Amino acid sequence: MRKPWVKKEWCIPPKEDAAFGARMEDVLAVDARPPDAARPLVCFDEGSKELHGEGRAPLPMIPEHPLCDDTEDERHGTANLFLWSAPLLGKRGVTVTDRRSLVVFAHAIRDLVDVQFPDAERIVLVLDNLNTHDPASLSLAFPPAEAKRLWDRLEVHPTPEHGSWLNVAEIEPSVLGRQCLDRRIPDRTTLATEVAAWVAERNAEQVTVRWPFTTADARTKLNHLSPVLAPAN
């Protein structure tokens, strides 16, 4: 019997893994820093949304009966979502694009540097290991001097491979999905409008996040990741 496919995002190595442990401790140390306006902590993530229109016009609401949607729909492709979150500041933003690529990612980074945090000395950026999350993306999108200027404004901390759950930004797509994207949205323009409204409302509430999992927790609960130390010669 064929086993069902299971999505594995919460993935912890079953035995010692020095690389995973080192990157995990690095990210956890960054999360524990106090708020610093000169060096804001920003977590970056991305996702997608399938666009679906109505196959038939819904039946309107009448007293004691909700709006009725037909099960038939029309597929209109997929849109990409770049999402950043400043968990200690209670700020986040979402950019809707047609697709995900190195160049599109580079423009999202320039927006982060020049529009969202123009006064920051350096942005402390936590992101996962997608192939687009590469400094080469800046060189593909911009002249060398501009690429170097943008990269110098970043302090990048990648999560471990298969450890994207350590990225605080992964909380926001879950909330966005439940509060905004759990319905049919027909096109990118409508998606961008709806997402912008969600961002404005959530930012007005100044919802902050303090990551509860600490370095001390990791060393206690995940001590199997530490390799047996070799004696010095």
Side-chain angles (χ1 to χ4, degrees):
M1 181 176 180
R2 186 176 181 181
K3 294 182 179 180
W5 179 82
V6 178
K7 186 177 183 181
K8 296 182 179 180
E9 288 189 349
W10 181 277
C11 188
I12 300 174
K15 58 183 180 179
E16 63 181 59
D17 191 323
F20 189 101
R23 283 199 172 183
M24 176 179 65
E25 292 219 355
D26 176 63
V27 172
L28 291 175
V30 167
D31 290 338
R33 293 180 189 176
D36 184 350
R39 289 176 173 259
L41 170 64
V42 177
C43 303
F44 192 92
D45 197 15
E46 45 194 274
S48 62
K49 169 64 178 175
E50 291 187 357
L51 304 174
H52 293 266
E54 301 290 351
R56 293 184 178 88
L59 296 178
M61 290 186 292
I62 59 176
E64 300 183 3
H65 289 278
L67 181 76
C68 293
D69 292 317
D70 191 84
T71 55
E72 183 179 342
D73 62 10
E74 297 177 347
R75 296 187 178 185
H76 296 160
T78 303
N80 180 67
L81 301 169
F82 284 119
L83 187 148
W84 62 266
S85 169
L88 303 182
L89 301 177
K91 295 174 59 179
R92 72 275 301 143
V94 181
T95 301
V96 179
T97 63
D98 286 332
R99 59 195 179 93
R100 173 175 65 89
S101 70
L102 287 165
V103 171
V104 177
F105 170 74
H107 282 273
I109 291 298
R110 184 162 70 171
D111 176 79
L112 200 63
V113 169
D114 291 343
V115 178
Q116 308 300 336
F117 297 93
D119 299 324
E121 175 186 311
R122 185 164 288 189
I123 297 171
V124 181
L125 186 64
V126 175
L127 38 67
D128 58 26
N129 291 280
L130 278 176
N131 59 347
T132 53
H133 298 171
D134 190 317
S137 64
L138 299 174
S139 296
L140 284 172
F142 308 116
E146 175 69 354
K148 181 69 163 54
R149 178 187 73 84
L150 294 171
W151 187 251
D152 286 347
R153 292 280 305 282
L154 304 175
E155 178 190 326
V156 178
H157 295 267
T159 61
E161 187 175 354
H162 303 303
S164 60
W165 53 271
L166 287 160
N167 187 348
V168 180
E170 293 214 340
I171 295 173
E172 296 293 336
S174 176
V175 179
L176 175 63
R178 295 194 306 271
Q179 296 182 350
C180 181
L181 304 183
D182 59 343
R183 55 195 172 84
R184 291 174 184 168
I185 297 180
D187 52 61
R188 178 182 159 186
T189 300
T190 304
L191 177 62
T193 300
E194 295 293 325
V195 167
W198 175 85
V199 168
E201 181 177 347
R202 193 156 168 83
N203 283 343
E205 296 172 357
Q206 296 186 322
V207 180
T208 60
V209 178
R210 173 64 73 173
W211 197 236
F213 192 62
T214 66
T215 301
D217 293 329
R219 291 175 182 174
T220 300
K221 298 177 181 180
L222 302 178
N223 61 350
H224 69 275
L225 295 177
S226 300
V228 177
L229 301 180
N233 293 328

